[in-house]
Amino acid sequence: KMSSAIPWLEVPEKLDGSMVGDVGFDPMGLSDVQPDLKYARACELKHGRICMLAVVGFVTEEYFHLPGAAYTNYNPLGAIAQVGTSVNGQILAAIAVIELATIDITYGDGEPGDYGLDPLKFLDGKSQYEIDRMKTKELKNGRLAMMAIMGELVQQKIWGVPMIADMMKGHFTPL
């Protein structure tokens, strides 16, 4: 069977269309290396969600800061070093607690990325078709956010100036 994403490539064996958003796209053959695609999907969802938050946080940091001299840096990459090891240690400890609390979900037999949280009731009263569409949208937005945060990081590293603010002032000059 040929891939609907890349018509001249064959669909890898493990990508049988049983997972939401699976269109047979695996040009590097990573699905052959990964023993469990549910784990890979759970990781993809988690990284996508983190990157969606990171993209918003990266831009927000240019305009809003916590009070105090340590938080006035307009460089999101420089802010990590400026706040010190104690703040970064607290952040890493919080991440470790969350990872340990959800380890059974990530490595378990349940639905990848389903942490039982839906406070806004996005999936209540929806048909399976609508639920699958919502999950596909989340996957695609997460994939886009992963590329977007990488673009923001590279742009910040190359030019060393706030991205949006500098563009609005007309100082941004692309290569």
Side-chain angles (χ1 to χ4, degrees):
K1 180 179 175 186
M2 302 308 278
S3 170
S4 62
I6 304 177
W8 59 88
L9 292 179
E10 289 186 26
V11 174
E13 182 181 328
K14 290 183 184 174
L15 298 179
D16 56 4
S18 61
M19 296 176 76
V20 174
D22 176 10
V23 292
F25 181 78
D26 188 15
M28 294 175 56
L30 296 176
S31 64
D32 296 332
V33 177
Q34 186 72 343
D36 183 13
L37 290 184
K38 281 191 170 187
Y39 170 75
R41 175 55 57 90
C43 291
E44 180 181 22
L45 284 167
K46 186 179 286 187
H47 288 112
R49 290 169 181 169
I50 290 168
C51 288
M52 285 187 265
L53 291 171
V55 167
V56 173
F58 204 92
V59 174
T60 302
E61 190 274 337
E62 292 182 22
Y63 299 103
F64 303 103
H65 303 282
L66 295 172
Y71 303 104
T72 58
N73 188 349
Y74 290 98
N75 178 354
L77 300 176
I80 296 168
Q82 191 174 6
V83 295
T85 56
S86 62
V87 173
N88 288 319
Q90 291 172 11
I91 292 169
L92 289 175
I95 292 169
V97 167
I98 292 168
E99 288 295 322
L100 288 173
T102 61
I103 198 164
D104 290 339
I105 296 169
T106 304
Y107 292 102
D109 293 330
E111 180 74 21
D114 184 9
Y115 296 101
L117 295 172
D118 190 10
L120 300 176
K121 309 293 183 205
F122 282 125
L123 301 180
D124 279 2
K126 300 258 195 292
S127 68
Q128 189 59 44
Y129 172 77
E130 292 171 318
I131 290 172
D132 289 348
R133 280 193 63 208
M134 292 289 283
K135 289 180 178 182
T136 302
K137 288 177 186 180
E138 181 185 18
L139 269 174
K140 289 181 178 184
N141 284 319
R143 291 169 182 166
L144 178 62
M146 286 187 254
M147 291 187 288
I149 192 66
M150 193 52 111
E152 288 177 339
L153 290 170
V154 168
Q155 184 171 339
Q156 177 70 35
K157 193 69 177 162
I158 290 173
W159 283 286
V161 293
M163 182 179 65
I164 303 296
D166 199 53
M167 285 171 38
M168 294 181 100
K169 291 177 187 172
H171 298 152
F172 178 73
T173 53
L175 294 176

